Amino acid sequence: MSSRRTKDRLTRRDVLYGGTALIGAAATSRLWRPGPAFAAEPRPGGTVRISVTQQMTTLIPFKQGNNPEYMTGEMMYSGLVRVGPDMVPRPDVAESWSANEDASEFVFKLRKGVRYHHGPEVTAADAVASLKAVLDPETASPGRKNVGPIKDIVADDDYTVRITLDGSFADLPVTMGHPSAKIVPAAILDKGLDTLAQGDYGCGPFKLVDYAPARTLKVSRYDGYHVPGQPYLDGVEQILFPDLAAESAALLNRETDVMLAVNNADFERLSNTGGVVGRRQRTGRFLNLVLRMDTKPFDDIRVRQAMAMCLDRQGLVDLVLEGFGRPAYDNPISPEYRYYIDHNRPSYDVEGAKRLLAEAGYPNGVKVELTCSTRPPLRAQLGVALKEMARAAGFDIDVKTVPHDYYIANVWKKGGFYVGSWNMRPMEDQMFTLLLTSDAPWADTAWNNATFDEIVYKARRTTDDDERRELYAEAQRMCIDEKPYIVPFYQDVLTAHRDYVMDYTMHPLQVSYYMDRTWLAEGAPQRG
């Protein structure tokens, strides 16, 4: 009990009143080295090849939205802070920060001498222009609703950024670590966002060498990076593998060094192969059934409840996730979040589901079409399992599998019943305001619940921990009871790499990879 209070007190103090306390802190629990006997110092040099299965669609850091894009944004760009694997913000371009008494205003002090890859020094004016670009609706940034209730941003001088909020918001330093909140030159933004899609204007640890959409991305070490001695690698290459079998074979043949994401069905086989390290991270990531409330039959809560009662959730963990996860009970907030509650677990009750369908006007059952993207493949596997589980209750589910590009263009935020996939966020506010409030940029349920909105926005403005805890508890209860989503399980994040890849970091958010700290031990392939 005392250790938890100490952790909370330290985190709150560091978040609000002094990032400098965290400069030397390192979250090492999710790094990999081959046992404590391996005490070698990081070696400079070498290139790491990383296989990915999702296509990068943009180099604009404000608009990136999948894991390969997040990795690229982190390598090429820097923000004011970085959020560590423990969800604590640490200095990046900002060397420290402070807040006023009610956390309605924050001042960030920038490091002097941080330079962009193309030469100019990073200034507070750049940070102000970049954050304003994220907040601009025309940018269509996924970070717009996730960087906090910002009222104004100004540069007090060349190295001081002052952010005024429209109320108290103690989590602002965490939100400044959002993957969209990268700093680019104000002069480049004056030329338009498209300029960022055509070149390299970052100050991150790596600079762009080559980008071939739907094939590869290459970056090389930036010798002027503001963290002395880093990065260690000469370069990083991302290679797209649409075929999962070919991706696994490439790792086994040492053609690649890291698999960014491993298919659950392949994890044990890869982990048991000599020279390969399988990595497993418990997270709040989930697949979800999107049940649009403006679409029949899911406009009736009894139909949504009946669907939830059809699920053998542990069975889905075993069948779909190969055991690499935990049952969830329709709460988008997992136990890894600070204010998680365990509330109203729906029981597996096929007969009860039948009765609810009959009450909703479907005594003979109901036919629905469920759309699943091909990426990740778990979506289709969940769809097939759901089809079989729900049949006995009267759901006749036609599972339709579509290419991911088609899903993004034609199904996401448009379809009435489909399988979504979401990474964990560093705090409850970001999950709710990204997906579930009425003005969320990725809202896809047509819930539009004004009471829920009011609760979420009140929670973000209070600094009283007990009050905030109860507000977030009520928001979770509303999600679970009204079921805009059915969340059947939380997924473990699985990745794999060759055993010569040192200090590769697993992050529960899957938006930060710390390739600047990764290095290659002896025995790694020599690549130009």
PDB file of all heavy atoms in Angstrom, residues 436-468:
ATOM      1  N   LEU A 436     -15.110   8.010 -27.974  1.00  0.00           N
ATOM      2  CA  LEU A 436     -16.454   7.842 -27.441  1.00  0.00           C
ATOM      3  C   LEU A 436     -17.221   9.118 -27.123  1.00  0.00           C
ATOM      4  O   LEU A 436     -18.449   9.071 -27.019  1.00  0.00           O
ATOM      5  CB  LEU A 436     -16.392   6.955 -26.196  1.00  0.00           C
ATOM      6  CG  LEU A 436     -16.081   5.479 -26.506  1.00  0.00           C
ATOM      7  CD1 LEU A 436     -15.625   4.742 -25.257  1.00  0.00           C
ATOM      8  CD2 LEU A 436     -17.309   4.803 -27.103  1.00  0.00           C
ATOM      9  N   THR A 437     -16.555  10.242 -26.927  1.00  0.00           N
ATOM     10  CA  THR A 437     -17.321  11.473 -26.743  1.00  0.00           C
ATOM     11  C   THR A 437     -17.948  11.876 -28.080  1.00  0.00           C
ATOM     12  O   THR A 437     -17.523  11.441 -29.146  1.00  0.00           O
ATOM     13  CB  THR A 437     -16.434  12.607 -26.212  1.00  0.00           C
ATOM     14  OG1 THR A 437     -15.293  12.770 -27.072  1.00  0.00           O
ATOM     15  CG2 THR A 437     -15.957  12.312 -24.797  1.00  0.00           C
ATOM     16  N   SER A 438     -18.962  12.725 -28.013  1.00  0.00           N
ATOM     17  CA  SER A 438     -19.700  13.088 -29.224  1.00  0.00           C
ATOM     18  C   SER A 438     -18.816  13.778 -30.253  1.00  0.00           C
ATOM     19  O   SER A 438     -19.063  13.662 -31.462  1.00  0.00           O
ATOM     20  CB  SER A 438     -20.873  14.004 -28.862  1.00  0.00           C
ATOM     21  OG  SER A 438     -21.741  13.361 -27.955  1.00  0.00           O
ATOM     22  N   ASP A 439     -17.794  14.505 -29.790  1.00  0.00           N
ATOM     23  CA  ASP A 439     -16.914  15.225 -30.715  1.00  0.00           C
ATOM     24  C   ASP A 439     -15.578  14.513 -30.926  1.00  0.00           C
ATOM     25  O   ASP A 439     -14.633  15.108 -31.437  1.00  0.00           O
ATOM     26  CB  ASP A 439     -16.658  16.643 -30.202  1.00  0.00           C
ATOM     27  CG  ASP A 439     -16.027  16.665 -28.804  1.00  0.00           C
ATOM     28  OD1 ASP A 439     -15.934  15.598 -28.166  1.00  0.00           O
ATOM     29  OD2 ASP A 439     -15.645  17.758 -28.345  1.00  0.00           O
ATOM     30  N   ALA A 440     -15.493  13.234 -30.541  1.00  0.00           N
ATOM     31  CA  ALA A 440     -14.245  12.484 -30.714  1.00  0.00           C
ATOM     32  C   ALA A 440     -13.904  12.355 -32.205  1.00  0.00           C
ATOM     33  O   ALA A 440     -14.788  12.074 -33.022  1.00  0.00           O
ATOM     34  CB  ALA A 440     -14.369  11.099 -30.091  1.00  0.00           C
ATOM     35  N   PRO A 441     -12.643  12.542 -32.586  1.00  0.00           N
ATOM     36  CA  PRO A 441     -12.296  12.499 -34.013  1.00  0.00           C
ATOM     37  C   PRO A 441     -12.501  11.130 -34.640  1.00  0.00           C
ATOM     38  O   PRO A 441     -12.725  11.039 -35.844  1.00  0.00           O
ATOM     39  CB  PRO A 441     -10.813  12.899 -34.024  1.00  0.00           C
ATOM     40  CG  PRO A 441     -10.310  12.611 -32.649  1.00  0.00           C
ATOM     41  CD  PRO A 441     -11.467  12.857 -31.748  1.00  0.00           C
ATOM     42  N   TRP A 442     -12.428  10.064 -33.839  1.00  0.00           N
ATOM     43  CA  TRP A 442     -12.604   8.724 -34.382  1.00  0.00           C
ATOM     44  C   TRP A 442     -13.874   8.064 -33.838  1.00  0.00           C
ATOM     45  O   TRP A 442     -13.984   6.843 -33.805  1.00  0.00           O
ATOM     46  CB  TRP A 442     -11.371   7.863 -34.083  1.00  0.00           C
ATOM     47  CG  TRP A 442     -10.167   8.283 -34.884  1.00  0.00           C
ATOM     48  CD1 TRP A 442     -10.153   9.129 -35.955  1.00  0.00           C
ATOM     49  CD2 TRP A 442      -8.813   7.892 -34.681  1.00  0.00           C
ATOM     50  NE1 TRP A 442      -8.875   9.285 -36.434  1.00  0.00           N
ATOM     51  CE2 TRP A 442      -8.026   8.536 -35.667  1.00  0.00           C
ATOM     52  CE3 TRP A 442      -8.173   7.055 -33.770  1.00  0.00           C
ATOM     53  CZ2 TRP A 442      -6.641   8.371 -35.768  1.00  0.00           C
ATOM     54  CZ3 TRP A 442      -6.791   6.888 -33.857  1.00  0.00           C
ATOM     55  CH2 TRP A 442      -6.043   7.543 -34.849  1.00  0.00           C
ATOM     56  N   ALA A 443     -14.834   8.875 -33.439  1.00  0.00           N
ATOM     57  CA  ALA A 443     -16.106   8.338 -32.944  1.00  0.00           C
ATOM     58  C   ALA A 443     -16.762   7.497 -34.035  1.00  0.00           C
ATOM     59  O   ALA A 443     -16.863   7.925 -35.184  1.00  0.00           O
ATOM     60  CB  ALA A 443     -17.028   9.476 -32.519  1.00  0.00           C
ATOM     61  N   ASP A 444     -17.207   6.299 -33.671  1.00  0.00           N
ATOM     62  CA  ASP A 444     -17.756   5.401 -34.691  1.00  0.00           C
ATOM     63  C   ASP A 444     -18.989   4.642 -34.211  1.00  0.00           C
ATOM     64  O   ASP A 444     -19.405   3.663 -34.826  1.00  0.00           O
ATOM     65  CB  ASP A 444     -16.691   4.405 -35.155  1.00  0.00           C
ATOM     66  CG  ASP A 444     -16.083   3.589 -34.029  1.00  0.00           C
ATOM     67  OD1 ASP A 444     -16.482   3.783 -32.871  1.00  0.00           O
ATOM     68  OD2 ASP A 444     -15.197   2.754 -34.302  1.00  0.00           O
ATOM     69  N   THR A 445     -19.607   5.089 -33.112  1.00  0.00           N
ATOM     70  CA  THR A 445     -20.734   4.351 -32.546  1.00  0.00           C
ATOM     71  C   THR A 445     -22.070   5.074 -32.669  1.00  0.00           C
ATOM     72  O   THR A 445     -23.113   4.466 -32.439  1.00  0.00           O
ATOM     73  CB  THR A 445     -20.502   4.080 -31.044  1.00  0.00           C
ATOM     74  OG1 THR A 445     -20.553   5.329 -30.347  1.00  0.00           O
ATOM     75  CG2 THR A 445     -19.160   3.415 -30.803  1.00  0.00           C
ATOM     76  N   ALA A 446     -22.040   6.387 -33.017  1.00  0.00           N
ATOM     77  CA  ALA A 446     -23.253   7.225 -33.009  1.00  0.00           C
ATOM     78  C   ALA A 446     -23.907   7.248 -31.629  1.00  0.00           C
ATOM     79  O   ALA A 446     -25.122   7.418 -31.505  1.00  0.00           O
ATOM     80  CB  ALA A 446     -24.250   6.761 -34.069  1.00  0.00           C
ATOM     81  N   TRP A 447     -23.111   7.094 -30.568  1.00  0.00           N
ATOM     82  CA  TRP A 447     -23.649   7.125 -29.207  1.00  0.00           C
ATOM     83  C   TRP A 447     -24.119   8.535 -28.868  1.00  0.00           C
ATOM     84  O   TRP A 447     -25.249   8.756 -28.445  1.00  0.00           O
ATOM     85  CB  TRP A 447     -22.569   6.642 -28.237  1.00  0.00           C
ATOM     86  CG  TRP A 447     -23.020   6.415 -26.828  1.00  0.00           C
ATOM     87  CD1 TRP A 447     -24.309   6.317 -26.375  1.00  0.00           C
ATOM     88  CD2 TRP A 447     -22.180   6.233 -25.693  1.00  0.00           C
ATOM     89  NE1 TRP A 447     -24.324   6.080 -25.017  1.00  0.00           N
ATOM     90  CE2 TRP A 447     -23.026   6.020 -24.572  1.00  0.00           C
ATOM     91  CE3 TRP A 447     -20.802   6.212 -25.503  1.00  0.00           C
ATOM     92  CZ2 TRP A 447     -22.529   5.817 -23.295  1.00  0.00           C
ATOM     93  CZ3 TRP A 447     -20.299   5.997 -24.222  1.00  0.00           C
ATOM     94  CH2 TRP A 447     -21.153   5.800 -23.130  1.00  0.00           C
ATOM     95  N   ASN A 448     -23.202   9.513 -29.001  1.00  0.00           N
ATOM     96  CA  ASN A 448     -23.537  10.929 -28.832  1.00  0.00           C
ATOM     97  C   ASN A 448     -24.301  11.177 -27.528  1.00  0.00           C
ATOM     98  O   ASN A 448     -25.399  11.740 -27.523  1.00  0.00           O
ATOM     99  CB  ASN A 448     -24.351  11.435 -30.024  1.00  0.00           C
ATOM    100  CG  ASN A 448     -23.593  11.323 -31.328  1.00  0.00           C
ATOM    101  OD1 ASN A 448     -22.373  11.398 -31.350  1.00  0.00           O
ATOM    102  ND2 ASN A 448     -24.305  11.120 -32.421  1.00  0.00           N
ATOM    103  N   ASN A 449     -23.685  10.765 -26.435  1.00  0.00           N
ATOM    104  CA  ASN A 449     -24.318  10.852 -25.123  1.00  0.00           C
ATOM    105  C   ASN A 449     -23.807  12.089 -24.387  1.00  0.00           C
ATOM    106  O   ASN A 449     -22.657  12.138 -23.956  1.00  0.00           O
ATOM    107  CB  ASN A 449     -24.014   9.580 -24.332  1.00  0.00           C
ATOM    108  CG  ASN A 449     -24.812   9.490 -23.045  1.00  0.00           C
ATOM    109  OD1 ASN A 449     -24.802  10.407 -22.235  1.00  0.00           O
ATOM    110  ND2 ASN A 449     -25.496   8.379 -22.869  1.00  0.00           N
ATOM    111  N   ALA A 450     -24.674  13.083 -24.247  1.00  0.00           N
ATOM    112  CA  ALA A 450     -24.265  14.347 -23.640  1.00  0.00           C
ATOM    113  C   ALA A 450     -23.863  14.171 -22.181  1.00  0.00           C
ATOM    114  O   ALA A 450     -22.951  14.858 -21.694  1.00  0.00           O
ATOM    115  CB  ALA A 450     -25.402  15.362 -23.752  1.00  0.00           C
ATOM    116  N   THR A 451     -24.508  13.267 -21.467  1.00  0.00           N
ATOM    117  CA  THR A 451     -24.153  13.024 -20.062  1.00  0.00           C
ATOM    118  C   THR A 451     -22.743  12.446 -19.968  1.00  0.00           C
ATOM    119  O   THR A 451     -21.945  12.858 -19.113  1.00  0.00           O
ATOM    120  CB  THR A 451     -25.163  12.070 -19.409  1.00  0.00           C
ATOM    121  OG1 THR A 451     -26.467  12.640 -19.487  1.00  0.00           O
ATOM    122  CG2 THR A 451     -24.798  11.805 -17.954  1.00  0.00           C
ATOM    123  N   PHE A 452     -22.450  11.477 -20.834  1.00  0.00           N
ATOM    124  CA  PHE A 452     -21.107  10.902 -20.866  1.00  0.00           C
ATOM    125  C   PHE A 452     -20.073  11.982 -21.179  1.00  0.00           C
ATOM    126  O   PHE A 452     -19.030  12.072 -20.521  1.00  0.00           O
ATOM    127  CB  PHE A 452     -21.051   9.791 -21.907  1.00  0.00           C
ATOM    128  CG  PHE A 452     -19.693   9.166 -22.077  1.00  0.00           C
ATOM    129  CD1 PHE A 452     -19.247   8.192 -21.192  1.00  0.00           C
ATOM    130  CD2 PHE A 452     -18.858   9.533 -23.126  1.00  0.00           C
ATOM    131  CE1 PHE A 452     -17.993   7.611 -21.341  1.00  0.00           C
ATOM    132  CE2 PHE A 452     -17.607   8.966 -23.283  1.00  0.00           C
ATOM    133  CZ  PHE A 452     -17.182   7.994 -22.391  1.00  0.00           C
ATOM    134  N   ASP A 453     -20.358  12.824 -22.176  1.00  0.00           N
ATOM    135  CA  ASP A 453     -19.435  13.902 -22.530  1.00  0.00           C
ATOM    136  C   ASP A 453     -19.151  14.793 -21.329  1.00  0.00           C
ATOM    137  O   ASP A 453     -17.995  15.140 -21.047  1.00  0.00           O
ATOM    138  CB  ASP A 453     -20.021  14.761 -23.650  1.00  0.00           C
ATOM    139  CG  ASP A 453     -20.254  14.003 -24.936  1.00  0.00           C
ATOM    140  OD1 ASP A 453     -19.751  12.863 -25.061  1.00  0.00           O
ATOM    141  OD2 ASP A 453     -20.935  14.544 -25.825  1.00  0.00           O
ATOM    142  N   GLU A 454     -20.209  15.172 -20.621  1.00  0.00           N
ATOM    143  CA  GLU A 454     -20.063  16.069 -19.476  1.00  0.00           C
ATOM    144  C   GLU A 454     -19.191  15.437 -18.396  1.00  0.00           C
ATOM    145  O   GLU A 454     -18.334  16.109 -17.801  1.00  0.00           O
ATOM    146  CB  GLU A 454     -21.438  16.413 -18.919  1.00  0.00           C
ATOM    147  CG  GLU A 454     -21.406  17.376 -17.750  1.00  0.00           C
ATOM    148  CD  GLU A 454     -22.792  17.682 -17.209  1.00  0.00           C
ATOM    149  OE1 GLU A 454     -23.785  17.229 -17.815  1.00  0.00           O
ATOM    150  OE2 GLU A 454     -22.886  18.375 -16.170  1.00  0.00           O
ATOM    151  N   ILE A 455     -19.378  14.153 -18.139  1.00  0.00           N
ATOM    152  CA  ILE A 455     -18.591  13.461 -17.118  1.00  0.00           C
ATOM    153  C   ILE A 455     -17.120  13.435 -17.498  1.00  0.00           C
ATOM    154  O   ILE A 455     -16.233  13.722 -16.680  1.00  0.00           O
ATOM    155  CB  ILE A 455     -19.126  12.031 -16.919  1.00  0.00           C
ATOM    156  CG1 ILE A 455     -20.491  12.068 -16.237  1.00  0.00           C
ATOM    157  CG2 ILE A 455     -18.149  11.181 -16.109  1.00  0.00           C
ATOM    158  CD1 ILE A 455     -21.216  10.745 -16.235  1.00  0.00           C
ATOM    159  N   VAL A 456     -16.826  13.086 -18.753  1.00  0.00           N
ATOM    160  CA  VAL A 456     -15.437  12.984 -19.205  1.00  0.00           C
ATOM    161  C   VAL A 456     -14.750  14.336 -19.137  1.00  0.00           C
ATOM    162  O   VAL A 456     -13.616  14.454 -18.640  1.00  0.00           O
ATOM    163  CB  VAL A 456     -15.387  12.414 -20.634  1.00  0.00           C
ATOM    164  CG1 VAL A 456     -13.978  12.536 -21.210  1.00  0.00           C
ATOM    165  CG2 VAL A 456     -15.832  10.954 -20.642  1.00  0.00           C
ATOM    166  N   TYR A 457     -15.415  15.380 -19.607  1.00  0.00           N
ATOM    167  CA  TYR A 457     -14.766  16.687 -19.619  1.00  0.00           C
ATOM    168  C   TYR A 457     -14.669  17.298 -18.221  1.00  0.00           C
ATOM    169  O   TYR A 457     -13.751  18.082 -17.946  1.00  0.00           O
ATOM    170  CB  TYR A 457     -15.478  17.618 -20.600  1.00  0.00           C
ATOM    171  CG  TYR A 457     -15.172  17.252 -22.032  1.00  0.00           C
ATOM    172  CD1 TYR A 457     -16.157  16.814 -22.896  1.00  0.00           C
ATOM    173  CD2 TYR A 457     -13.867  17.303 -22.507  1.00  0.00           C
ATOM    174  CE1 TYR A 457     -15.870  16.444 -24.200  1.00  0.00           C
ATOM    175  CE2 TYR A 457     -13.558  16.934 -23.798  1.00  0.00           C
ATOM    176  CZ  TYR A 457     -14.559  16.509 -24.644  1.00  0.00           C
ATOM    177  OH  TYR A 457     -14.257  16.138 -25.931  1.00  0.00           O
ATOM    178  N   LYS A 458     -15.567  16.913 -17.327  1.00  0.00           N
ATOM    179  CA  LYS A 458     -15.420  17.347 -15.946  1.00  0.00           C
ATOM    180  C   LYS A 458     -14.237  16.652 -15.283  1.00  0.00           C
ATOM    181  O   LYS A 458     -13.483  17.273 -14.520  1.00  0.00           O
ATOM    182  CB  LYS A 458     -16.707  17.060 -15.168  1.00  0.00           C
ATOM    183  CG  LYS A 458     -16.680  17.581 -13.733  1.00  0.00           C
ATOM    184  CD  LYS A 458     -18.009  17.347 -13.023  1.00  0.00           C
ATOM    185  CE  LYS A 458     -17.976  17.885 -11.597  1.00  0.00           C
ATOM    186  NZ  LYS A 458     -19.260  17.646 -10.884  1.00  0.00           N
ATOM    187  N   ALA A 459     -14.049  15.377 -15.588  1.00  0.00           N
ATOM    188  CA  ALA A 459     -12.945  14.619 -15.003  1.00  0.00           C
ATOM    189  C   ALA A 459     -11.591  15.195 -15.403  1.00  0.00           C
ATOM    190  O   ALA A 459     -10.666  15.258 -14.585  1.00  0.00           O
ATOM    191  CB  ALA A 459     -13.031  13.154 -15.426  1.00  0.00           C
ATOM    192  N   ARG A 460     -11.473  15.620 -16.646  1.00  0.00           N
ATOM    193  CA  ARG A 460     -10.178  16.142 -17.083  1.00  0.00           C
ATOM    194  C   ARG A 460      -9.847  17.483 -16.440  1.00  0.00           C
ATOM    195  O   ARG A 460      -8.696  17.907 -16.434  1.00  0.00           O
ATOM    196  CB  ARG A 460     -10.121  16.254 -18.598  1.00  0.00           C
ATOM    197  CG  ARG A 460     -11.016  17.285 -19.210  1.00  0.00           C
ATOM    198  CD  ARG A 460     -10.642  17.717 -20.628  1.00  0.00           C
ATOM    199  NE  ARG A 460     -10.105  16.698 -21.483  1.00  0.00           N
ATOM    200  CZ  ARG A 460      -9.734  16.913 -22.743  1.00  0.00           C
ATOM    201  NH1 ARG A 460      -9.870  18.119 -23.274  1.00  0.00           N
ATOM    202  NH2 ARG A 460      -9.237  15.944 -23.485  1.00  0.00           N
ATOM    203  N   ARG A 461     -10.879  18.147 -15.880  1.00  0.00           N
ATOM    204  CA  ARG A 461     -10.642  19.475 -15.313  1.00  0.00           C
ATOM    205  C   ARG A 461     -10.475  19.475 -13.802  1.00  0.00           C
ATOM    206  O   ARG A 461     -10.271  20.527 -13.209  1.00  0.00           O
ATOM    207  CB  ARG A 461     -11.793  20.397 -15.703  1.00  0.00           C
ATOM    208  CG  ARG A 461     -11.757  20.802 -17.174  1.00  0.00           C
ATOM    209  CD  ARG A 461     -13.035  21.533 -17.599  1.00  0.00           C
ATOM    210  NE  ARG A 461     -12.899  22.062 -18.932  1.00  0.00           N
ATOM    211  CZ  ARG A 461     -13.060  21.352 -20.048  1.00  0.00           C
ATOM    212  NH1 ARG A 461     -13.356  20.066 -19.966  1.00  0.00           N
ATOM    213  NH2 ARG A 461     -12.916  21.905 -21.229  1.00  0.00           N
ATOM    214  N   THR A 462     -10.587  18.336 -13.164  1.00  0.00           N
ATOM    215  CA  THR A 462     -10.445  18.311 -11.705  1.00  0.00           C
ATOM    216  C   THR A 462      -9.072  17.779 -11.325  1.00  0.00           C
ATOM    217  O   THR A 462      -8.549  16.860 -11.942  1.00  0.00           O
ATOM    218  CB  THR A 462     -11.541  17.461 -11.044  1.00  0.00           C
ATOM    219  OG1 THR A 462     -11.355  17.495  -9.627  1.00  0.00           O
ATOM    220  CG2 THR A 462     -11.479  16.002 -11.510  1.00  0.00           C
ATOM    221  N   THR A 463      -8.499  18.370 -10.297  1.00  0.00           N
ATOM    222  CA  THR A 463      -7.228  17.887  -9.754  1.00  0.00           C
ATOM    223  C   THR A 463      -7.436  17.095  -8.475  1.00  0.00           C
ATOM    224  O   THR A 463      -6.465  16.606  -7.902  1.00  0.00           O
ATOM    225  CB  THR A 463      -6.278  19.071  -9.467  1.00  0.00           C
ATOM    226  OG1 THR A 463      -6.919  19.995  -8.584  1.00  0.00           O
ATOM    227  CG2 THR A 463      -5.901  19.785 -10.755  1.00  0.00           C
ATOM    228  N   ASP A 464      -8.673  17.001  -8.016  1.00  0.00           N
ATOM    229  CA  ASP A 464      -8.976  16.195  -6.832  1.00  0.00           C
ATOM    230  C   ASP A 464      -9.024  14.727  -7.245  1.00  0.00           C
ATOM    231  O   ASP A 464      -9.869  14.324  -8.056  1.00  0.00           O
ATOM    232  CB  ASP A 464     -10.316  16.621  -6.227  1.00  0.00           C
ATOM    233  CG  ASP A 464     -10.624  15.846  -4.953  1.00  0.00           C
ATOM    234  OD1 ASP A 464     -11.195  14.736  -5.074  1.00  0.00           O
ATOM    235  OD2 ASP A 464     -10.298  16.335  -3.863  1.00  0.00           O
ATOM    236  N   ASP A 465      -8.132  13.920  -6.674  1.00  0.00           N
ATOM    237  CA  ASP A 465      -7.980  12.546  -7.128  1.00  0.00           C
ATOM    238  C   ASP A 465      -9.229  11.709  -6.849  1.00  0.00           C
ATOM    239  O   ASP A 465      -9.642  10.911  -7.690  1.00  0.00           O
ATOM    240  CB  ASP A 465      -6.760  11.909  -6.459  1.00  0.00           C
ATOM    241  CG  ASP A 465      -6.308  10.642  -7.168  1.00  0.00           C
ATOM    242  OD1 ASP A 465      -5.993  10.714  -8.372  1.00  0.00           O
ATOM    243  OD2 ASP A 465      -6.300   9.577  -6.526  1.00  0.00           O
ATOM    244  N   ASP A 466      -9.844  11.880  -5.703  1.00  0.00           N
ATOM    245  CA  ASP A 466     -11.033  11.095  -5.372  1.00  0.00           C
ATOM    246  C   ASP A 466     -12.198  11.444  -6.302  1.00  0.00           C
ATOM    247  O   ASP A 466     -12.934  10.563  -6.758  1.00  0.00           O
ATOM    248  CB  ASP A 466     -11.432  11.327  -3.915  1.00  0.00           C
ATOM    249  CG  ASP A 466     -10.447  10.719  -2.929  1.00  0.00           C
ATOM    250  OD1 ASP A 466      -9.726   9.772  -3.334  1.00  0.00           O
ATOM    251  OD2 ASP A 466     -10.365  11.190  -1.787  1.00  0.00           O
ATOM    252  N   GLU A 467     -12.370  12.721  -6.576  1.00  0.00           N
ATOM    253  CA  GLU A 467     -13.445  13.141  -7.471  1.00  0.00           C
ATOM    254  C   GLU A 467     -13.193  12.624  -8.887  1.00  0.00           C
ATOM    255  O   GLU A 467     -14.112  12.137  -9.555  1.00  0.00           O
ATOM    256  CB  GLU A 467     -13.553  14.671  -7.487  1.00  0.00           C
ATOM    257  CG  GLU A 467     -14.697  15.169  -8.368  1.00  0.00           C
ATOM    258  CD  GLU A 467     -14.795  16.688  -8.381  1.00  0.00           C
ATOM    259  OE1 GLU A 467     -14.009  17.354  -7.675  1.00  0.00           O
ATOM    260  OE2 GLU A 467     -15.658  17.205  -9.128  1.00  0.00           O
ATOM    261  N   ARG A 468     -11.970  12.716  -9.317  1.00  0.00           N
ATOM    262  CA  ARG A 468     -11.641  12.232 -10.661  1.00  0.00           C
ATOM    263  C   ARG A 468     -11.872  10.718 -10.755  1.00  0.00           C
ATOM    264  O   ARG A 468     -12.395  10.218 -11.746  1.00  0.00           O
ATOM    265  CB  ARG A 468     -10.185  12.574 -10.980  1.00  0.00           C
ATOM    266  CG  ARG A 468      -9.692  11.979 -12.266  1.00  0.00           C
ATOM    267  CD  ARG A 468      -8.258  12.372 -12.518  1.00  0.00           C
ATOM    268  NE  ARG A 468      -8.203  13.612 -13.259  1.00  0.00           N
ATOM    269  CZ  ARG A 468      -7.108  14.047 -13.876  1.00  0.00           C
ATOM    270  NH1 ARG A 468      -6.003  13.367 -13.810  1.00  0.00           N
ATOM    271  NH2 ARG A 468      -7.126  15.170 -14.560  1.00  0.00           N
TER     272      ARG A 468
END
